[in-house]
Structures are given as structure tokens and as C-alpha cells.
Amino acid sequence: MAFGAQSTADEVLGGHDLSGKTVLVTGGNSGLGRETARAMAAKGANVVIAGRDQAKLDEAKAAIEADVPSARVETIVGDLGSLESIRACGAEANERFDKIDILINNAGVMACPQAQTSDGFEMQFGTNHLGHFALTKHLIPLIEKGQNKRIVNLSSRGHHFAPVDLDDPNFEHREYEKWASYGQAKTANILFSVGLEQRFADKGIHVYAVHPGGIQTNLGRHLTEQDIEALLARVTTSDSAFEWKTIPQGAATTCWAAISPELEGKGGVYCEDCHVAENDDESSAGGVRSYAIDPDIADQLWSISEQMTGESFSA
Ligand SMILES: NC(=O)c1ccc[n+]([C@@H]2O[C@H](COP(=O)([O-])OP(=O)(O)OC[C@H]3O[C@@H](n4cnc5c(N)ncnc54)[C@H](OP(=O)(O)O)[C@@H]3O)[C@@H](O)[C@H]2O)c1
């Protein structure tokens, strides 16, 4: 069956039995992450929701269990804005879980005022990219023990706003601009997918970047009305009107990338509306920019991410 922009997470997972699979979802307490966790739990997966606040995780676990009485949901705390917290989360995960079949790097912040993580990284690059880079490094031993192993990295069409500035990822030598920062971080999520695929495909781990659509969630917490209007104008073209998705529709491409047989062995790609996007350097209505899938840039980002976090993958 062909899925598209209107498909929901439940529809995409229809007919799939995820019993025996362990799925870890970062940012699993809110928005798209929580819906992804709910939909996968409804198909029998053991779901681990990761977040930075135990109380929010408990609330989300209770809500998922209320919706899906058979759900098997566990929680784990990790703050992606702190390497110390990420390392503790990784160590705890390796103690508590036997394996992870599907890792969904979903957590994110968008267009926040200029700020730094605990380690002094610019907040959006630090949380959205470097945090997931370090966490994935710690979870790789568990993923290597999984079956049909996949990693899904939540990116965004916002990657159109900017490539990664490899010389100044932390905005130390240029003026901070919240959309350039978000664009850079979301481009990094795609390049990280390319870099992981290059290094781990031969171990049977395949990696997909996803644009979920435009969905009203807590992600917009830093936006003013004017910000939202300007953003919508930027993504609306004469031949393509912008349409919000519902949260179940917004979680669909993540679920599709995590399980679709069509994608078997074909990682390192960027997906939107439940298909692999075309390479497109012009359209504001879709597609993936060349700078986000360039293997040389992916390698350079990999090197600076290792240097910045002090974490190296032993591939
Ligand atoms: N919604 C959209 O239109 C849209 C469009 C394109 C891409 N995306 C991407 O989709 C992903 C999910 O976003 P969403 O719309 O579901 O937003 P959301 O409801 O705000 O969820 C974001 C999640 O990330 C978590 N998070 C933020 N900072 C964190 C940190 N330092 N450590 C650990 N967790 C942290 C949040 O935790 P708290 O609850 O504690 O803040 C929350 O659980 C993001 O990566 C976003 O960039 C969304």
C-alpha cells in the first residue's frame, strides 16, 4: 500500500507485528515522539521513552497505557543538553536493556533564543545534533544486538534554511540567528544519518532522516504569531499550499522509516510524506538539499562532532 502526507502512524504500522522489538524514542514524552511510542506499543513493541524529566515521562507512560492497555512502556532519563547526563543515560540503558532494534532520535528544540548547553555548545546544534551523536554512540552496542536494526533521525524541511557552518557551529564568530541555527542543526541530523549509514550498514544497521511535516506541538514554544506567519510564508509556494498535519499524521513518516520493507538496506536517505525525497536545491515545498546528503561534508561533520563531544564510535 502506498502511504503519503495524510497517512497516520497507525495506518503505516497496520499489518505489522512489532512483538519482541525494543524501540527507544528520545523526546518520547511529547508531540511526535509520544505518538510514535504509542503507535508502536499498540503493535506490540517494547517501548522505551527517553526524556529529560521523569515526571513528564511518567505522565506520558500513563497516557500511553491508558490508550493501549497492553502497552509495554519503560522510561529513561537523559538530558541531550548535557554530555554527563547522556553518558549516564547510555550506561543505564546498557545495564537495563538487552538490545535496541529501533532507535528514534526524535527530541528537539526549535528557534530558541541564543543559549548554550551545559557543555557550552550552541543550544540547537548541541541538543538536536551533538546530543544525539553522543547518545547514539553509547547505544550502538545495544543496537548491534537487535534485529532489522534501524535508526531514524528526526530532521526537518527547516534544513533548507542553512547548511552546517563547519567553521563556526556554535555561532561564536557570527551573529546568532535562530532559523539559521535550527536549519544548521536539522541539516546535521541528515548528514549524521549519511555518516552512520556509511559506517554501520555493513553491520546491518540502516539509518533514515525524516521530515515529519508541519505539526502544531510544543516545538513552537519559542515562536511568536509573527514568527509563525513568516515561517508559513517561507514554505508556501504558488503551486503548493502549506497544510498542517495532525500529530498522528506527523508521526507516520517516522514509523514508515522505522519499519517499511521498501527501505530495506537503503539507508542514508531523507524521507518526507512516507517516501524517499528527491534531491532538490530550489524548491521550498520539499526535497533534500545537496549539502545535507554530501558524503564528504558528512565526514567533516563526523570529525568535528567527535572532537566536540570527545566521543568516538568504534565501528
Ligand atoms: N512539529 C513540527 O512541525 C516539526 C517539523 C519538522 C521537524 N520536527 C522535528 O520533530 C521532532 C519532534 O518534535 P515535536 O514537534 O514532537 O516537538 P515537542 O512536542 O516539543 O517534542 C520535543 C521533545 O524533545 C524533548 N527535548 C527537548 N530538549 C531536550 C533535551 N535537552 N533533552 C532531552 N529531550 C529534550 C522535549 O522534552 P521536554 O518536553 O522536556 O521539553 C520533547 O519531549 C523534533 O526533532 C523536531 O525538530 C517537528
Side-chain angles (χ1 to χ4, degrees), residues 253-266:
T253 304
T254 300
C255 291
W256 182 76
I259 55 94
S260 174
E262 279 175 61
L263 291 172
E264 199 51 56
K266 296 181 194 154

Side-chain angles (χ1 to χ4, degrees), residues 243-273:
E243 278 187 41
W244 291 107
K245 288 187 183 184
T246 64
I247 289 179
Q249 290 170 340
T253 304
T254 300
C255 291
W256 182 76
I259 55 94
S260 174
E262 279 175 61
L263 291 172
E264 199 51 56
K266 296 181 194 154
V269 293
Y270 168 91
C271 307
E272 56 188 358
D273 294 340

